[in-house]
């Protein structure tokens, strides 16, 4: 049994809890998890219980839970570019993170999944797809063959990513978006809900619409 602590107590973390509970409920011979609770930096959440599990402290206290493995659930449209900072603030080594894959997700045997990544119910990761570390993939999302999803990416619900697509570090793809084959979504870019992306998206750009058009460019880092 692997003891797990989730970073963040918001919406994505609730989906991770659901995946852990479903893994345990289905039994069998696979990995089992003991969910200890959450670490969260919002002061009002301290001492609270979420879905029956306690908020144990702040993210920078993670090293106090040395017998546990961790997974980050923090990634909204306002925080997605800070995922590397959140992971770093925990002070944890890469091997202290665990990936959580809902039993109703379909992962091809030739796909590669990094550490600290969560894949929610009914999502499909196709042959020869590569998913990096600390990626969040919400429900009903498809990552097709030979696509590459870099570290810290957030993929919302109901996305279709076709073959040979690259999504670079810390990008965010909104719910219901579709990405055509052979395009690249740059680092820290934001793809809006329902967007149909037919050409490359540069780093730090925000695109939306059908076909997707640039609606904002951040200052390049």
């Amino acid at each position: 049994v692997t003891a797990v602590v989730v970073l963040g107590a918001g919406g994505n973390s609730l989906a991770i809890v659901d995946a852990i509970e479903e893994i345990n409920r289905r039994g069998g011979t696979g990995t089992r998890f003991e969910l200890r609770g959450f670490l969260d930096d919002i002061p009002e959440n301290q001492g609270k219980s979420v879905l029956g599990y306690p908020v144990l402290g702040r993210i920078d206290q993670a090293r106090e839970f040395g017998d546990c493995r961790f997974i980050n659930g923090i990634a909204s449209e306002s925080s997605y570019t800070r995922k590397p900072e959140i992971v770093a603030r925990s002070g944890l080594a890469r091997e202290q993170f665990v990936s959580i894959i809902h039993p109703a997700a379909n992962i091809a045997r030739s796909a590669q999944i990094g550490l600290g990544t969560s894949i929610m119910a009914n999502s499909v990761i196709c042959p020869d797809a590569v998913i990096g570390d600390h990626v969040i993939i919400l429900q009903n999302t498809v990552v097709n063959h030979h696509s590459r999803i870099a570290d810290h990416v957030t993929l919302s619900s109901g996305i279709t990513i076709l073959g040979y697509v690259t999504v670079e570090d810390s990008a965010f793809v909104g719910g219901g978006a579709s990405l055509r084959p052979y395009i690249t979504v740059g680092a820290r870019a934001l793809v809006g809900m329902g967007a149909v992306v037919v050409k490359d998206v540069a780093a730090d750009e925000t695109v939306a619409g059908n076909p997707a058009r640039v609606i904002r460019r951040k200052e390049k880092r």
Side-chain angles (χ1 to χ4, degrees), residues 4 6 42 49-50 58 62-63 69 73 78 89 98 123 131 194:
V4 176
V6 180
I42 298 174
S49 178
V50 178
R58 302 182 313 274
R63 284 176 291 183
R69 294 294 178 264
S78 61
R89 195 158 70 242
V98 65
S123 287
I131 311 296

Side-chain angles (χ1 to χ4, degrees), residues 7-221:
L7 305 184
N12 293 328
S13 296
L14 306 189
I16 292 171
V17 170
D18 176 68
I20 290 172
E21 291 181 338
E22 188 64 12
I23 290 167
N24 291 338
R25 188 187 71 80
R26 296 198 183 196
T29 58
T31 301
R32 297 296 162 264
F33 299 105
E34 175 197 351
L35 181 56
R36 294 280 180 86
F38 307 89
L39 296 176
D40 194 285
D41 288 344
I42 298 174
E44 308 88 81
N45 285 344
Q46 300 306 311
K48 285 189 174 181
S49 178
V50 178
L51 294 182
Y53 301 96
V55 177
L56 302 165
R58 302 182 313 274
I59 290 171
D60 62 8
Q61 295 177 281
R63 284 176 291 183
E64 298 176 16
F65 301 88
D67 63 330
C68 295
R69 294 294 178 264
F70 299 82
I71 187 162
N72 173 46
I74 301 172
S76 67
E77 288 187 23
S78 61
S79 66
Y80 70 94
T81 60
R82 302 203 307 272
K83 283 176 73 172
E85 169 199 329
I86 292 164
V87 171
R89 195 158 70 242
S90 72
L92 301 168
R94 179 179 183 268
E95 60 269 17
Q96 290 176 272
F97 286 88
V98 65
S99 290
I100 302 294
I101 299 173
H102 195 288
N106 189 335
I107 313 298
R109 285 184 294 175
S110 59
Q112 300 177 42
I113 311 294
L115 285 176
T117 285
S118 56
I119 303 175
M120 298 299 105
N122 301 316
S123 287
V124 179
I125 311 301
C126 296
D128 282 329
V130 177
I131 311 296
D133 293 346
H134 308 295
V135 174
I136 295 176
I137 301 177
L138 295 182
Q139 297 86 348
N140 302 299
T141 284
V142 177
V143 178
N144 256 288
H145 61 90
H146 300 99
S147 285
R148 302 290 185 265
I149 310 300
D151 297 346
H152 310 111
V153 166
T154 304
L155 302 180
S156 297
S157 300
I159 295 166
T160 300
I161 295 177
L162 296 177
Y164 297 97
V165 169
T166 298
V167 182
E168 295 183 341
D169 199 294
S170 301
F172 184 104
V173 182
S178 299
L179 280 62
R180 67 163 291 177
Y182 295 101
I183 65 167
T184 295
V185 174
R188 302 171 304 278
L190 172 62
V191 175
M193 291 177 59
V196 177
V197 185
V198 296
K199 61 182 181 180
D200 291 350
V201 179
D204 300 292
E205 283 186 342
T206 298
V207 301
N210 179 8
R213 295 179 173 84
V214 177
I215 61 173
R216 188 186 320 153
R217 288 186 173 94
K218 297 180 184 176
E219 182 179 344
K220 299 297 175 64
R221 301 185 179 187

